[in-house]
Amino acid sequence: MKKRITLIRLAQAGLLCTVIGLLACGCGDDFLKNKRLYNGGGWEIFDNYGLAQARVDYLYTYSLPESTEKRSATRVNAGVADEWSTMMTWEYGGSPTWGDAASELSVSNNNLPTWFGTNKPTEGVYMHIRNANVCLVGLQGSKLGEEGTRTMRGETYFWRAWNYMMLFQYFGGVPLIDYPQDPILSTNDGADLMVNRSTTRETYEFIQADLEQAIELLPEVWPASETGRLTKAAAAALKGRMALLWASPLFNRTDDPQRWSAAYEACQQAYEIALAAGHRLVESTASENAKQWEQMFLHYDSPEAVMVTLYNSKTDRQLQKLNGWEKGCRPSTNVIIGGGTRLVPAEMIDLWPMADGKEPGDSSFAYNELAFFHKRDPRFYRTFA
């Protein structure tokens, strides 16, 4: 025991001598003058178009909704949606935790996303917001100039708004950070890094301002080789959706009619921008048995597709997006051998139109709840397995 204590004391003495030696060398802050953005390759990457675009593309990788795999190596290809998907598709089967009947009675940190305290950098919303802020600062100071960085800035403004929207839907007002904070150069023991929570209105207006920038900077369409990138229509659609949310009873407790008027105008703008870009509803005649309607879920170039997440058939994960959705939707029977993970509420089945386009009960066709698949709208058979 004495030998161990002696060794520890010798080690402590050696460490102390090392610290004293370093202190004797001086405590200047000259090294801070060469401070760089080391976690992203350095600010100079934004002077190269390819590298700058790759930095922006990182925002796509971790912000786009995924409905075929969980953001975890243990849940690859499992037919389980992430929080992004369940939040962006409000009628999604298998609602997010906060929508479950049991948790609606008691909202706590146990049933809300861990976006404020996650230790997974790919899942933290504020991590994505920081990346967006880094991109905006780098692009604004880039040697590529205003035109050279135009579309990238538009993409970045969209993704920053998108991630703040995720927070807004849960929490209303949140701390608004529009620049990449630097803990090394912070003052007052980091007090300047502590950003107060903004009001719900301030958060909403911040998001809408970012989307207005995105609408101005993004193109109407991209070349075929860039299919899947954000467009004016996508930014305008999200702006309209935010305006509807702001006008809804969730935030509009006094039912202010001006909010509804603003929501109408925002959605009208989105509609006009989408039409100008070539978007439209898929047309399908009765004789086609809704075949064209089905195709819009299978092909990313559908005229109805305003914003898409692209998938492929790769067998290894890495950064690929695997498509196990079809298997997950199908019933888990011995014949079909599906995943059975996406169960359809009976209410949705009962409300689906009959073959004459009318709801059950109003239709000329009799409706049998046990034979619900008889005489339904052709789209029924393209939707449910």
Side-chain angles (χ1 to χ4, degrees):
M1 179 64 70
K2 290 182 179 179
K3 291 182 179 180
R4 181 177 296 179
I5 293 175
T6 302
L7 289 174
I8 292 175
R9 287 175 177 171
L10 285 173
Q12 291 173 339
L15 177 60
L16 180 60
C17 289
T18 302
V19 172
I20 292 174
L22 289 173
L23 292 174
C25 293
C27 297
D29 59 358
D30 290 345
F31 70 97
L32 291 176
K33 296 178 181 179
N34 296 321
K35 190 185 77 67
R36 300 172 56 197
L37 176 72
Y38 288 104
N39 69 338
W43 292 110
E44 63 272 15
I45 69 170
F46 293 102
D47 296 331
N48 178 285
Y49 185 87
L51 294 176
Q53 186 65 70
R55 191 69 166 83
V56 173
D57 289 349
Y58 183 81
L59 294 169
Y60 280 84
T61 301
Y62 290 111
S63 295
L64 272 171
E66 297 181 17
S67 56
T68 63
E69 59 179 281
K70 202 70 173 175
R71 293 171 185 265
S72 168
T74 61
R75 298 291 291 170
V76 173
N77 211 14
V80 179
D82 60 13
E83 291 289 348
W84 276 250
S85 296
T86 54
M87 286 299 291
M88 287 308 297
T89 309
W90 290 335
E91 70 278 13
Y92 190 90
S95 59
T97 305
W98 58 268
D100 293 341
S103 64
E104 282 182 350
L105 301 177
S106 177
V107 177
S108 68
N109 61 346
N110 293 324
N111 52 31
L112 286 175
T114 55
W115 289 339
F116 288 102
T118 179
N119 59 0
K120 300 177 182 177
T122 58
E123 294 184 2
V125 174
Y126 272 104
M127 175 65 74
H128 308 322
I129 290 171
R130 174 178 172 79
N131 283 325
N133 288 335
V134 167
C135 288
L136 286 175
V137 171
L139 292 169
Q140 289 165 357
S142 171
K143 295 179 181 178
L144 297 174
E146 290 288 320
E147 282 304 308
T149 62
R150 181 180 181 85
T151 57
M152 287 185 281
R153 284 183 287 120
E155 292 170 294
T156 305
Y157 275 118
F158 178 95
W159 287 126
R160 187 169 71 176
W162 172 279
N163 282 284
Y164 269 121
M165 179 203 64
M166 294 299 174
L167 295 172
F168 178 81
Q169 290 179 107
Y170 274 110
F171 306 106
V174 295
L176 296 174
I177 304 172
D178 60 359
Y179 65 96
Q181 291 182 314
D182 193 331
I184 296 177
L185 297 182
S186 64
T187 59
N188 300 325
D189 294 327
D192 57 313
L193 302 177
M194 309 304 292
V195 179
N196 291 329
R197 181 178 183 176
S198 296
T199 65
T200 301
R201 178 181 291 277
E202 289 169 342
T203 303
Y204 169 76
E205 291 175 350
F206 181 92
I207 294 169
Q208 295 298 66
D210 269 6
L211 291 172
E212 288 170 6
Q213 289 277 7
I215 293 171
E216 178 183 349
L217 297 170
L218 288 169
E220 286 190 353
V221 295
W222 289 86
S225 61
E226 300 292 340
T227 298
R229 291 197 180 278
L230 297 166
T231 62
K232 285 184 183 294
L238 187 59
K239 182 170 180 273
R241 182 170 188 156
M242 279 295 300
L244 282 172
L245 187 61
W246 182 239
S248 74
L250 181 62
F251 292 104
N252 189 12
R253 302 299 173 85
T254 61
D255 198 25
D256 182 358
Q258 292 185 351
R259 293 196 190 184
W260 288 110
S261 297
Y264 176 85
E265 293 173 1
C267 291
Q268 180 68 29
Q269 179 194 32
Y271 176 70
E272 293 171 355
I273 290 175
L275 286 181
H279 294 290
R280 58 177 174 78
L281 294 177
V282 170
E283 299 174 2
S284 187
T285 62
S287 61
E288 294 175 329
N289 207 22
K291 183 64 178 177
Q292 288 189 43
W293 187 84
E294 178 192 40
Q295 293 301 306
M296 75 175 178
F297 296 104
L298 305 177
H299 298 284
Y300 56 79
D301 56 354
S302 166
E304 288 202 25
V306 175
M307 178 180 171
V308 298
T309 300
L310 302 181
Y311 296 95
N312 57 44
S313 57
K314 299 289 185 181
T315 56
D316 59 328
R317 185 173 190 262
Q318 298 179 9
L319 291 179
Q320 308 297 341
K321 298 184 181 296
L322 311 178
N323 191 1
W325 181 254
E326 184 72 13
K327 179 178 183 297
C329 283
R330 296 191 175 279
S332 55
T333 66
N334 292 333
V335 178
I336 300 177
I337 315 178
T341 56
R342 299 273 72 84
L343 306 179
V344 182
E347 292 86 351
M348 182 179 289
I349 293 291
D350 293 339
L351 287 172
W352 200 271
M354 303 296 288
D356 58 3
K358 297 180 180 179
E359 291 184 6
D362 297 329
S363 170
S364 58
F365 299 103
Y367 181 57
N368 183 345
E369 292 183 357
L370 299 181
F372 52 82
F373 42 83
H374 287 173
K375 300 293 184 180
R376 304 306 292 266
D377 183 302
R379 294 171 295 178
F380 181 94
Y381 309 104
R382 307 288 186 184
T383 304
F384 304 111

